[in-house]
Amino acid sequence: MSSIDPAFAAFLDRLPKAELHVHIEGTLEPETIFALATRNGVALPYPDVETLRAAYAFSDLQSFLDIYYAGASVLLTEADFHDMAAAYLARAEADGVIRAEIFFDPQTHTARGVAMETVIGGLTRALDAARARGVSCDLILCFLRHLSEEDAFATLAAAMPFRDAFIGVGLDSSEVGHPPSKFARVFAEARRQGLRIVAHAGEEGPPAYVWEALDVLGAERIDHGVRSLEDAALTARLARERVALTVCPFSNVRLRVCDRLEDHPLKRMLDAGLSVTINSDDPAYFGGYVGANWRETCAALGLSRDEAIQIARNGFDAAFVDESERTRLVARLDAAIAADGI
Ligand code: ADE
Ligand code: ZN
């Protein structure tokens, strides 16, 4: 592991952060998976926590998703969804997260007979409690791209009675072979409903998927987008339009998008003028929450204080908040920087 000046590491830990790319089902720790399996009488294909954790040796996105969906099968009740989100929010707060935009995958649950109301109700109760403690947070509903357009439409319809509980929609799951354009009409309907738009693109899929996310879905941010650098015209556009990319360094290493953190394209993306942010994706599976992603990425890539501050600012610039909320969040960032004597 690369070394880092302890004072810089402490500065990064204290830095107020926005986390804009975290899947709530990806925050289920192995111990929690087993506790919920016992609580709910769900059988798991792993005998114990150690065996499950040992299976977290992924070769690509799909090898992870297979285990991630198996892990999520223990979630049945409103309390399960509440407890999962409450644990994440407490953990994120400890890492200095003051704004969290949290993905959830309702189809993973509704396909098992869990009601949309149970999923959204439990998550919302946890978010309300965090808001009461001063954490700014919202939910983004993600469609599973390996499922059909029809299923996505049915999911959007089932969620609309809870329209006030989420601010936007996204697109996740198996990327290659499921281009954004498959969901053009669903996202058009979501835009008509006033929802904010994001999409995973350019994680394993080609730059063409990033173009489609922007031009066909109307994505306002790109989740991952690390392969954008392969296309100079795309890179220039993303930079010119200040489209934020929610980059997840630990995820990219664990899913073999890049070999080592030292090889991660984040610094090259910054140098190309891209608005990158640092996020944890599925922290229970990828070896660390957002604070560890920040510390280790800054160390591995030799990022400067100014670069770290720029990445933090990018997160608040890209957050889906109104301008008064953005001003309040940025003021907290500025106050923390000033307090550190920079
Ligand atoms: N679902 C959870 N994590 C994901 C990722 N990194 N890419 C696509 N879908 C996901
Ligand atoms: Zn993701």
PDB file of all heavy atoms in Angstrom, residues 3-15 294-295 297-299 302-309 340 342:
ATOM      1  N   SER A   3       2.291   4.983   0.805  1.00  0.00           N
ATOM      2  CA  SER A   3       2.294   5.723   2.070  1.00  0.00           C
ATOM      3  C   SER A   3       1.673   7.103   1.844  1.00  0.00           C
ATOM      4  O   SER A   3       1.610   7.604   0.729  1.00  0.00           O
ATOM      5  CB  SER A   3       3.713   5.861   2.594  1.00  0.00           C
ATOM      6  OG  SER A   3       4.437   6.679   1.711  1.00  0.00           O
ATOM      7  N   ILE A   4       1.232   7.691   2.942  1.00  0.00           N
ATOM      8  CA  ILE A   4       0.610   9.013   2.863  1.00  0.00           C
ATOM      9  C   ILE A   4       0.990   9.769   4.122  1.00  0.00           C
ATOM     10  O   ILE A   4       1.046   9.175   5.208  1.00  0.00           O
ATOM     11  CB  ILE A   4      -0.931   8.886   2.677  1.00  0.00           C
ATOM     12  CG1 ILE A   4      -1.589  10.260   2.504  1.00  0.00           C
ATOM     13  CG2 ILE A   4      -1.575   8.117   3.812  1.00  0.00           C
ATOM     14  CD1 ILE A   4      -3.037  10.177   2.024  1.00  0.00           C
ATOM     15  N   ASP A   5       1.277  11.048   3.963  1.00  0.00           N
ATOM     16  CA  ASP A   5       1.580  11.903   5.109  1.00  0.00           C
ATOM     17  C   ASP A   5       0.393  11.834   6.082  1.00  0.00           C
ATOM     18  O   ASP A   5      -0.752  12.083   5.677  1.00  0.00           O
ATOM     19  CB  ASP A   5       1.786  13.329   4.577  1.00  0.00           C
ATOM     20  CG  ASP A   5       1.870  14.350   5.685  1.00  0.00           C
ATOM     21  OD1 ASP A   5       2.178  13.969   6.829  1.00  0.00           O
ATOM     22  OD2 ASP A   5       1.615  15.546   5.408  1.00  0.00           O
ATOM     23  N   PRO A   6       0.658  11.478   7.362  1.00  0.00           N
ATOM     24  CA  PRO A   6      -0.454  11.321   8.312  1.00  0.00           C
ATOM     25  C   PRO A   6      -1.309  12.586   8.447  1.00  0.00           C
ATOM     26  O   PRO A   6      -2.532  12.492   8.618  1.00  0.00           O
ATOM     27  CB  PRO A   6       0.237  10.983   9.636  1.00  0.00           C
ATOM     28  CG  PRO A   6       1.593  10.484   9.258  1.00  0.00           C
ATOM     29  CD  PRO A   6       1.956  11.129   7.960  1.00  0.00           C
ATOM     30  N   ALA A   7      -0.662  13.753   8.335  1.00  0.00           N
ATOM     31  CA  ALA A   7      -1.436  15.005   8.451  1.00  0.00           C
ATOM     32  C   ALA A   7      -2.382  15.148   7.252  1.00  0.00           C
ATOM     33  O   ALA A   7      -3.528  15.591   7.398  1.00  0.00           O
ATOM     34  CB  ALA A   7      -0.491  16.199   8.525  1.00  0.00           C
ATOM     35  N   PHE A   8      -1.902  14.737   6.059  1.00  0.00           N
ATOM     36  CA  PHE A   8      -2.759  14.798   4.860  1.00  0.00           C
ATOM     37  C   PHE A   8      -3.904  13.785   4.996  1.00  0.00           C
ATOM     38  O   PHE A   8      -5.059  14.088   4.673  1.00  0.00           O
ATOM     39  CB  PHE A   8      -1.908  14.522   3.617  1.00  0.00           C
ATOM     40  CG  PHE A   8      -2.635  14.684   2.302  1.00  0.00           C
ATOM     41  CD1 PHE A   8      -3.574  15.694   2.105  1.00  0.00           C
ATOM     42  CD2 PHE A   8      -2.372  13.826   1.238  1.00  0.00           C
ATOM     43  CE1 PHE A   8      -4.239  15.848   0.885  1.00  0.00           C
ATOM     44  CE2 PHE A   8      -3.025  13.967   0.009  1.00  0.00           C
ATOM     45  CZ  PHE A   8      -3.963  14.974  -0.161  1.00  0.00           C
ATOM     46  N   ALA A   9      -3.581  12.599   5.505  1.00  0.00           N
ATOM     47  CA  ALA A   9      -4.632  11.579   5.705  1.00  0.00           C
ATOM     48  C   ALA A   9      -5.697  12.093   6.671  1.00  0.00           C
ATOM     49  O   ALA A   9      -6.899  11.927   6.428  1.00  0.00           O
ATOM     50  CB  ALA A   9      -4.012  10.286   6.225  1.00  0.00           C
ATOM     51  N   ALA A  10      -5.257  12.753   7.742  1.00  0.00           N
ATOM     52  CA  ALA A  10      -6.222  13.282   8.720  1.00  0.00           C
ATOM     53  C   ALA A  10      -7.066  14.383   8.084  1.00  0.00           C
ATOM     54  O   ALA A  10      -8.275  14.480   8.335  1.00  0.00           O
ATOM     55  CB  ALA A  10      -5.478  13.803   9.948  1.00  0.00           C
ATOM     56  N   PHE A  11      -6.417  15.205   7.259  1.00  0.00           N
ATOM     57  CA  PHE A  11      -7.146  16.257   6.537  1.00  0.00           C
ATOM     58  C   PHE A  11      -8.231  15.628   5.647  1.00  0.00           C
ATOM     59  O   PHE A  11      -9.383  16.068   5.627  1.00  0.00           O
ATOM     60  CB  PHE A  11      -6.160  17.079   5.695  1.00  0.00           C
ATOM     61  CG  PHE A  11      -6.804  18.011   4.722  1.00  0.00           C
ATOM     62  CD1 PHE A  11      -7.452  19.159   5.155  1.00  0.00           C
ATOM     63  CD2 PHE A  11      -6.775  17.748   3.352  1.00  0.00           C
ATOM     64  CE1 PHE A  11      -8.063  20.031   4.259  1.00  0.00           C
ATOM     65  CE2 PHE A  11      -7.382  18.612   2.444  1.00  0.00           C
ATOM     66  CZ  PHE A  11      -8.022  19.744   2.905  1.00  0.00           C
ATOM     67  N   LEU A  12      -7.853  14.573   4.918  1.00  0.00           N
ATOM     68  CA  LEU A  12      -8.824  13.901   4.026  1.00  0.00           C
ATOM     69  C   LEU A  12      -9.975  13.307   4.831  1.00  0.00           C
ATOM     70  O   LEU A  12     -11.134  13.360   4.420  1.00  0.00           O
ATOM     71  CB  LEU A  12      -8.137  12.801   3.221  1.00  0.00           C
ATOM     72  CG  LEU A  12      -7.085  13.253   2.211  1.00  0.00           C
ATOM     73  CD1 LEU A  12      -6.424  12.038   1.564  1.00  0.00           C
ATOM     74  CD2 LEU A  12      -7.690  14.165   1.146  1.00  0.00           C
ATOM     75  N   ASP A  13      -9.659  12.728   5.992  1.00  0.00           N
ATOM     76  CA  ASP A  13     -10.707  12.139   6.826  1.00  0.00           C
ATOM     77  C   ASP A  13     -11.721  13.195   7.265  1.00  0.00           C
ATOM     78  O   ASP A  13     -12.916  12.933   7.324  1.00  0.00           O
ATOM     79  CB  ASP A  13     -10.092  11.475   8.073  1.00  0.00           C
ATOM     80  CG  ASP A  13      -9.390  10.164   7.734  1.00  0.00           C
ATOM     81  OD1 ASP A  13      -9.602   9.649   6.618  1.00  0.00           O
ATOM     82  OD2 ASP A  13      -8.634   9.667   8.585  1.00  0.00           O
ATOM     83  N   ARG A  14     -11.209  14.384   7.587  1.00  0.00           N
ATOM     84  CA  ARG A  14     -12.098  15.446   8.096  1.00  0.00           C
ATOM     85  C   ARG A  14     -12.838  16.170   6.980  1.00  0.00           C
ATOM     86  O   ARG A  14     -13.836  16.844   7.236  1.00  0.00           O
ATOM     87  CB  ARG A  14     -11.273  16.486   8.867  1.00  0.00           C
ATOM     88  CG  ARG A  14     -10.895  16.086  10.275  1.00  0.00           C
ATOM     89  CD  ARG A  14     -10.376  17.290  11.050  1.00  0.00           C
ATOM     90  NE  ARG A  14      -9.186  17.884  10.432  1.00  0.00           N
ATOM     91  CZ  ARG A  14      -7.942  17.486  10.691  1.00  0.00           C
ATOM     92  NH1 ARG A  14      -7.713  16.521  11.547  1.00  0.00           N
ATOM     93  NH2 ARG A  14      -6.916  18.073  10.093  1.00  0.00           N
ATOM     94  N   LEU A  15     -12.309  16.089   5.769  1.00  0.00           N
ATOM     95  CA  LEU A  15     -12.869  16.857   4.657  1.00  0.00           C
ATOM     96  C   LEU A  15     -14.356  16.527   4.457  1.00  0.00           C
ATOM     97  O   LEU A  15     -14.709  15.356   4.276  1.00  0.00           O
ATOM     98  CB  LEU A  15     -12.082  16.494   3.384  1.00  0.00           C
ATOM     99  CG  LEU A  15     -12.079  17.463   2.221  1.00  0.00           C
ATOM    100  CD1 LEU A  15     -11.471  18.799   2.608  1.00  0.00           C
ATOM    101  CD2 LEU A  15     -11.304  16.843   1.049  1.00  0.00           C
ATOM    102  N   TRP A 294     -10.910   7.522  -0.467  1.00  0.00           N
ATOM    103  CA  TRP A 294     -10.224   8.826  -0.564  1.00  0.00           C
ATOM    104  C   TRP A 294      -8.760   8.698  -0.165  1.00  0.00           C
ATOM    105  O   TRP A 294      -7.865   9.112  -0.910  1.00  0.00           O
ATOM    106  CB  TRP A 294     -10.907   9.844   0.362  1.00  0.00           C
ATOM    107  CG  TRP A 294     -12.000  10.615  -0.291  1.00  0.00           C
ATOM    108  CD1 TRP A 294     -13.301  10.235  -0.451  1.00  0.00           C
ATOM    109  CD2 TRP A 294     -11.891  11.922  -0.862  1.00  0.00           C
ATOM    110  NE1 TRP A 294     -14.004  11.221  -1.092  1.00  0.00           N
ATOM    111  CE2 TRP A 294     -13.173  12.270  -1.349  1.00  0.00           C
ATOM    112  CE3 TRP A 294     -10.840  12.833  -1.008  1.00  0.00           C
ATOM    113  CZ2 TRP A 294     -13.430  13.486  -1.978  1.00  0.00           C
ATOM    114  CZ3 TRP A 294     -11.094  14.053  -1.632  1.00  0.00           C
ATOM    115  CH2 TRP A 294     -12.374  14.370  -2.114  1.00  0.00           C
ATOM    116  N   ARG A 295      -8.525   8.161   1.037  1.00  0.00           N
ATOM    117  CA  ARG A 295      -7.159   8.088   1.576  1.00  0.00           C
ATOM    118  C   ARG A 295      -6.246   7.294   0.655  1.00  0.00           C
ATOM    119  O   ARG A 295      -5.166   7.741   0.278  1.00  0.00           O
ATOM    120  CB  ARG A 295      -7.175   7.392   2.938  1.00  0.00           C
ATOM    121  CG  ARG A 295      -7.215   8.305   4.139  1.00  0.00           C
ATOM    122  CD  ARG A 295      -6.954   7.549   5.422  1.00  0.00           C
ATOM    123  NE  ARG A 295      -7.613   6.261   5.539  1.00  0.00           N
ATOM    124  CZ  ARG A 295      -8.869   6.059   5.939  1.00  0.00           C
ATOM    125  NH1 ARG A 295      -9.628   7.084   6.261  1.00  0.00           N
ATOM    126  NH2 ARG A 295      -9.380   4.846   6.017  1.00  0.00           N
ATOM    127  N   THR A 297      -6.656   6.241  -2.481  1.00  0.00           N
ATOM    128  CA  THR A 297      -6.538   6.734  -3.864  1.00  0.00           C
ATOM    129  C   THR A 297      -5.613   7.939  -3.914  1.00  0.00           C
ATOM    130  O   THR A 297      -4.744   8.029  -4.793  1.00  0.00           O
ATOM    131  CB  THR A 297      -7.930   7.075  -4.433  1.00  0.00           C
ATOM    132  OG1 THR A 297      -8.753   5.910  -4.339  1.00  0.00           O
ATOM    133  CG2 THR A 297      -7.846   7.535  -5.872  1.00  0.00           C
ATOM    134  N   CYS A 298      -5.789   8.861  -2.976  1.00  0.00           N
ATOM    135  CA  CYS A 298      -4.908  10.037  -2.951  1.00  0.00           C
ATOM    136  C   CYS A 298      -3.465   9.603  -2.752  1.00  0.00           C
ATOM    137  O   CYS A 298      -2.547  10.157  -3.376  1.00  0.00           O
ATOM    138  CB  CYS A 298      -5.340  11.016  -1.850  1.00  0.00           C
ATOM    139  SG  CYS A 298      -6.880  11.882  -2.255  1.00  0.00           S
ATOM    140  N   ALA A 299      -3.249   8.583  -1.907  1.00  0.00           N
ATOM    141  CA  ALA A 299      -1.881   8.100  -1.663  1.00  0.00           C
ATOM    142  C   ALA A 299      -1.326   7.418  -2.911  1.00  0.00           C
ATOM    143  O   ALA A 299      -0.213   7.717  -3.359  1.00  0.00           O
ATOM    144  CB  ALA A 299      -1.877   7.123  -0.486  1.00  0.00           C
ATOM    145  N   GLY A 302      -0.733   9.917  -5.662  1.00  0.00           N
ATOM    146  CA  GLY A 302       0.053  11.096  -5.287  1.00  0.00           C
ATOM    147  C   GLY A 302      -0.705  12.400  -5.483  1.00  0.00           C
ATOM    148  O   GLY A 302      -0.130  13.406  -5.913  1.00  0.00           O
ATOM    149  N   LEU A 303      -1.987  12.401  -5.175  1.00  0.00           N
ATOM    150  CA  LEU A 303      -2.777  13.623  -5.381  1.00  0.00           C
ATOM    151  C   LEU A 303      -2.393  14.691  -4.357  1.00  0.00           C
ATOM    152  O   LEU A 303      -2.059  14.383  -3.213  1.00  0.00           O
ATOM    153  CB  LEU A 303      -4.278  13.322  -5.275  1.00  0.00           C
ATOM    154  CG  LEU A 303      -4.858  12.328  -6.289  1.00  0.00           C
ATOM    155  CD1 LEU A 303      -6.382  12.305  -6.192  1.00  0.00           C
ATOM    156  CD2 LEU A 303      -4.438  12.662  -7.718  1.00  0.00           C
ATOM    157  N   SER A 304      -2.460  15.934  -4.784  1.00  0.00           N
ATOM    158  CA  SER A 304      -2.118  17.059  -3.906  1.00  0.00           C
ATOM    159  C   SER A 304      -3.345  17.479  -3.089  1.00  0.00           C
ATOM    160  O   SER A 304      -4.474  17.066  -3.388  1.00  0.00           O
ATOM    161  CB  SER A 304      -1.658  18.249  -4.757  1.00  0.00           C
ATOM    162  OG  SER A 304      -2.766  18.731  -5.521  1.00  0.00           O
ATOM    163  N   ARG A 305      -3.096  18.341  -2.099  1.00  0.00           N
ATOM    164  CA  ARG A 305      -4.220  18.905  -1.336  1.00  0.00           C
ATOM    165  C   ARG A 305      -5.184  19.634  -2.247  1.00  0.00           C
ATOM    166  O   ARG A 305      -6.408  19.508  -2.115  1.00  0.00           O
ATOM    167  CB  ARG A 305      -3.694  19.896  -0.301  1.00  0.00           C
ATOM    168  CG  ARG A 305      -3.451  19.263   1.015  1.00  0.00           C
ATOM    169  CD  ARG A 305      -2.817  20.221   1.987  1.00  0.00           C
ATOM    170  NE  ARG A 305      -2.369  19.396   3.076  1.00  0.00           N
ATOM    171  CZ  ARG A 305      -2.819  19.501   4.331  1.00  0.00           C
ATOM    172  NH1 ARG A 305      -3.666  20.438   4.648  1.00  0.00           N
ATOM    173  NH2 ARG A 305      -2.411  18.668   5.249  1.00  0.00           N
ATOM    174  N   ASP A 306      -4.639  20.424  -3.177  1.00  0.00           N
ATOM    175  CA  ASP A 306      -5.510  21.188  -4.080  1.00  0.00           C
ATOM    176  C   ASP A 306      -6.354  20.258  -4.935  1.00  0.00           C
ATOM    177  O   ASP A 306      -7.531  20.536  -5.196  1.00  0.00           O
ATOM    178  CB  ASP A 306      -4.674  22.105  -4.985  1.00  0.00           C
ATOM    179  CG  ASP A 306      -4.185  23.337  -4.241  1.00  0.00           C
ATOM    180  OD1 ASP A 306      -4.636  23.561  -3.099  1.00  0.00           O
ATOM    181  OD2 ASP A 306      -3.335  24.057  -4.795  1.00  0.00           O
ATOM    182  N   GLU A 307      -5.748  19.147  -5.372  1.00  0.00           N
ATOM    183  CA  GLU A 307      -6.532  18.192  -6.177  1.00  0.00           C
ATOM    184  C   GLU A 307      -7.630  17.551  -5.321  1.00  0.00           C
ATOM    185  O   GLU A 307      -8.758  17.369  -5.788  1.00  0.00           O
ATOM    186  CB  GLU A 307      -5.612  17.130  -6.777  1.00  0.00           C
ATOM    187  CG  GLU A 307      -4.779  17.686  -7.933  1.00  0.00           C
ATOM    188  CD  GLU A 307      -3.682  16.738  -8.406  1.00  0.00           C
ATOM    189  OE1 GLU A 307      -3.089  16.020  -7.576  1.00  0.00           O
ATOM    190  OE2 GLU A 307      -3.400  16.741  -9.623  1.00  0.00           O
ATOM    191  N   ALA A 308      -7.301  17.225  -4.086  1.00  0.00           N
ATOM    192  CA  ALA A 308      -8.308  16.636  -3.201  1.00  0.00           C
ATOM    193  C   ALA A 308      -9.459  17.615  -2.967  1.00  0.00           C
ATOM    194  O   ALA A 308     -10.637  17.239  -3.008  1.00  0.00           O
ATOM    195  CB  ALA A 308      -7.673  16.225  -1.877  1.00  0.00           C
ATOM    196  N   ILE A 309      -9.103  18.869  -2.747  1.00  0.00           N
ATOM    197  CA  ILE A 309     -10.147  19.886  -2.514  1.00  0.00           C
ATOM    198  C   ILE A 309     -11.008  20.039  -3.772  1.00  0.00           C
ATOM    199  O   ILE A 309     -12.232  20.154  -3.692  1.00  0.00           O
ATOM    200  CB  ILE A 309      -9.499  21.225  -2.089  1.00  0.00           C
ATOM    201  CG1 ILE A 309      -8.917  21.074  -0.680  1.00  0.00           C
ATOM    202  CG2 ILE A 309     -10.499  22.367  -2.158  1.00  0.00           C
ATOM    203  CD1 ILE A 309      -8.006  22.220  -0.242  1.00  0.00           C
ATOM    204  N   ASP A 340      -8.274  24.144   8.632  1.00  0.00           N
ATOM    205  CA  ASP A 340      -7.026  23.390   8.489  1.00  0.00           C
ATOM    206  C   ASP A 340      -5.853  24.294   8.119  1.00  0.00           C
ATOM    207  O   ASP A 340      -4.747  23.797   7.877  1.00  0.00           O
ATOM    208  CB  ASP A 340      -7.187  22.287   7.444  1.00  0.00           C
ATOM    209  CG  ASP A 340      -7.314  20.938   8.110  1.00  0.00           C
ATOM    210  OD1 ASP A 340      -8.425  20.615   8.546  1.00  0.00           O
ATOM    211  OD2 ASP A 340      -6.285  20.258   8.214  1.00  0.00           O
ATOM    212  N   ILE A 342      -5.283  26.159   5.440  1.00  0.00           N
ATOM    213  CA  ILE A 342      -4.769  26.128   4.053  1.00  0.00           C
ATOM    214  C   ILE A 342      -5.056  27.463   3.349  1.00  0.00           C
ATOM    215  O   ILE A 342      -6.157  27.963   3.456  1.00  0.00           O
ATOM    216  CB  ILE A 342      -5.435  24.976   3.281  1.00  0.00           C
ATOM    217  CG1 ILE A 342      -4.935  23.669   3.877  1.00  0.00           C
ATOM    218  CG2 ILE A 342      -5.084  25.028   1.809  1.00  0.00           C
ATOM    219  CD1 ILE A 342      -5.621  22.463   3.321  1.00  0.00           C
TER     220      ILE A 342
END
